[in-house]
């Protein structure tokens, strides 16, 4: 039978006629047997033709390559029996079969795809070092965004920054700036760099004896200015202030605080009082006679509180007696008679009775007393109403100084 023709139904008929002689029967017995055999039709096999060039669908690997070998030659990349080796481009990994074959079912023997696994390339800026700006402890730092490149399709999904933005103010010290990049397949790459901020500093200044410092910024950083101030009763001699320079050296030289010189050889009471402006407070004690009981009580209490008076920058000015024997004195200095008279008129201080006037550092009449007061009462009033913020700080530091 030729290939491709339908098989024929074969019928075999076998007739077997046999005569069996049974002895003793006296006659012939003849029996007939019929045996029929049928062959059914076999299932039809597919018609395979190795010459068909597109037996399986064309095999394409996205981001990869299929290298195929066909029994029929190079022009039969998907014919029956073709075998293909699969591979991926750089930066991709093959998931699935590495080798597939075109089957009679017109399908390939397996599947595969290329998955992108290589992270993107990212390059951060170089480390940045900056000096803090004058009178500041910070520096403004700028940089360009990092260079990011994807090794596959070139698509960068997201770039995130961990740290301050470019153009931010950074305090003194080291700061790590980190960038993280994600590609289309969410592969991750990161880079980092350091922002380092330095503060130029001068040696720490010491306050002068009988004085203190008032400084801007942190006190000894580049651009900071320190002003020298003296305690009440002392005068500054020398440079009023010094500046920390970029060379880390102070400008000028350190002044000193010398005891205040009181000039009683003045032309007016105003000229005398101006010497105490913003330096000392004045407590004017007036009495008609040095033997007055209130006067003696008050002077005795004040003499025992000399330390507290100095801490609060209080100078005692006495006006005692009647002309022509009236006495005016500040410490060991005697006042001329015309200045005494002018002071009484200027401050409205009577000679007839005991009285006291407290003048603040701005020359303002702040409190009057017609009877003696204890140093504690006087100090409470000054501490509550007359002290500057700087004096409050000094009082806190020197609270036990007079004990």
């Amino acid at each position: 039978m030729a290939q491709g023709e339908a098989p024929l139904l074969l019928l075999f008929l076998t007739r077997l006629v046999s005569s069996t002689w049974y002895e003793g029967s006296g006659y012939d017995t003849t029996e007939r047997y019929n045996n029929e055999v049928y062959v059914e039709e076999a299932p039809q096999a597919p018609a395979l033709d190795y010459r068909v060039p597109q037996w399986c669908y064309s095999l394409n690997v996205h981001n990869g390559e299929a290298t195929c070998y066909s029994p029929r030659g190079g022009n039969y990349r998907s014919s029956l029996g073709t075998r293909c080796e699969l591979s991926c481009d750089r930066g991709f990994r093959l998931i699935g079969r590495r080798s597939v074959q075109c089957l009679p079912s017109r399908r390939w023997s397996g599947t595969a795809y290329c998955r992108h696994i290589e992270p993107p390339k990212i390059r951060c800026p170089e480390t940045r070092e900056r000096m803090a700006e004058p009178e500041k402890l910070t520096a403004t730092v700028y940089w360009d965004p990092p260079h990011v490149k994807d090794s596959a399709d070139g698509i960068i999904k997201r770039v995130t920054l961990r740290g301050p933005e470019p153009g931010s103010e950074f305090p003194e010290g080291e700061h790590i700036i980190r960038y993280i990049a994600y590609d289309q397949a969410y592969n991750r790459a990161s880079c980092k760099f350091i922002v380092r901020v330095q503060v130029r500093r001068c040696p720490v200044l010491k306050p002068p004896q009988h004085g203190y410092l008032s400084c801007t910024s942190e006190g000894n950083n580049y651009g900071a200015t320190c002003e020298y101030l003296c305690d009440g009763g002392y005068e500054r001699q020398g440079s009023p202030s010094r500046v920390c320079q970029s060379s880390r050296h102070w400008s000028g030289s350190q002044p000193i605080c010398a005891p205040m010189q009181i000039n009683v050889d003045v032309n007016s009471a105003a000229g005398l009082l101006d010497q105490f402006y913003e330096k000392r407070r004045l407590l004017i004690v007036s009495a008609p006679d040095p033997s007055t009981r209130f006067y003696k009580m008050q002077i005795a209490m004040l003499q025992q509180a000399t330390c507290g008076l100095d801490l609060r920058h209080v100078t005692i000015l006495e006006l005692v007696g009647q002309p022509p024997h009236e006495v005016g004195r500040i410490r060991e200095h005697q006042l001329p008679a015309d200045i005494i008279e002018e002071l009484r008129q200027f401050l409205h201080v009577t000679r007839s009775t005991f009285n006291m006037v407290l003048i603040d550092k701005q020359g303002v009449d702040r409190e009057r007393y017609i009877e003696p007061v204890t140093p504690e009462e006087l100090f409470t009033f000054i501490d509550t109403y007359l002290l500057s913020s700087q004096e409050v700080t000094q009082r806190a530091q020197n609270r036990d100084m007079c004990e």
Side-chain angles (χ1 to χ4, degrees), residues 9 17 33 77 92 132 161 169 246 296 313 316 349 351 353 378-379 397:
L9 177 63
V17 179
Y33 298 93
R77 288 175 50 86
F92 293 84
L161 166 65
E169 282 198 2
S246 60
K296 294 170 64 175
H313 308 159
I316 306 296
V349 177
R351 291 187 177 91
T353 59
L378 182 65
F379 294 162
Q397 296 174 349

Side-chain angles (χ1 to χ4, degrees), residues 131-136 198-205 216-217 219-226 239 241-253:
M131 288 293 179
E133 300 167 16
E135 294 192 84
K136 298 180 69 175
Q198 297 182 7
V199 177
R200 294 188 182 98
R201 297 182 185 275
C202 292
V204 177
L205 292 176
T216 62
S217 191
N220 70 327
N221 56 304
Y222 170 45
T225 300
C226 286
S239 301
S241 61
R242 303 174 73 183
V243 179
C244 179
Q245 303 173 100
S246 60
S247 61
R248 294 184 171 89
H249 292 91
W250 290 99
S251 64
S253 58

Side-chain angles (χ1 to χ4, degrees), residues 268-329:
S268 63
L272 177 67
L273 297 177
D274 285 345
Q275 299 178 64
F276 298 89
Y277 183 74
E278 294 186 344
K279 296 178 182 178
R280 300 283 289 185
R281 299 176 179 91
L282 281 175
L283 181 63
I284 295 100
V285 182
S286 176
D289 189 271
S291 60
T292 304
R293 182 169 59 93
F294 280 178
Y295 171 76
K296 294 170 64 175
M297 290 175 55
Q298 186 67 75
I299 292 300
M301 288 189 290
L302 293 177
Q303 287 175 346
Q304 295 176 0
T306 302
C307 180
L309 292 170
D310 283 340
L311 282 179
R312 294 166 178 83
H313 308 159
V314 178
T315 296
I316 306 296
L317 190 159
E318 298 178 65
L319 302 176
V320 184
Q322 301 287 338
H325 304 291
E326 187 174 18
V327 175
R329 56 176 170 260

Side-chain angles (χ1 to χ4, degrees), residues 169-185:
E169 282 198 2
F170 288 80
E172 183 179 11
E174 288 190 353
H175 311 272
I176 298 177
I177 309 299
R178 189 184 303 272
Y179 280 94
I180 303 175
Y182 298 88
D183 61 15
Q184 188 85 331

Side-chain angles (χ1 to χ4, degrees), residues 195-268:
V195 171
R196 186 177 294 113
V197 176
Q198 297 182 7
V199 177
R200 294 188 182 98
R201 297 182 185 275
C202 292
V204 177
L205 292 176
K206 294 182 179 179
Q209 188 178 9
H210 306 298
Y212 55 94
L213 291 167
S214 178
C215 300
T216 62
S217 191
E218 199 176 56
N220 70 327
N221 56 304
Y222 170 45
T225 300
C226 286
E227 182 182 5
Y228 286 83
L229 301 170
C230 295
D231 297 335
Y234 293 86
E235 295 178 318
R236 182 181 56 227
Q237 295 180 359
S239 301
S241 61
R242 303 174 73 183
V243 179
C244 179
Q245 303 173 100
S246 60
S247 61
R248 294 184 171 89
H249 292 91
W250 290 99
S251 64
S253 58
Q254 179 166 328
I256 62 172
C257 290
M260 177 181 173
Q261 299 297 318
I262 301 175
N263 181 18
V264 295
D265 188 16
V266 292
N267 297 324
S268 63

Side-chain angles (χ1 to χ4, degrees), residues 6 61 75 139 142 189 245 275 316 318 332 401:
V61 181
N75 294 328
Y142 297 89
Q245 303 173 100
Q275 299 178 64
I316 306 296
E318 298 178 65
E332 71 279 3
M401 185 174 177

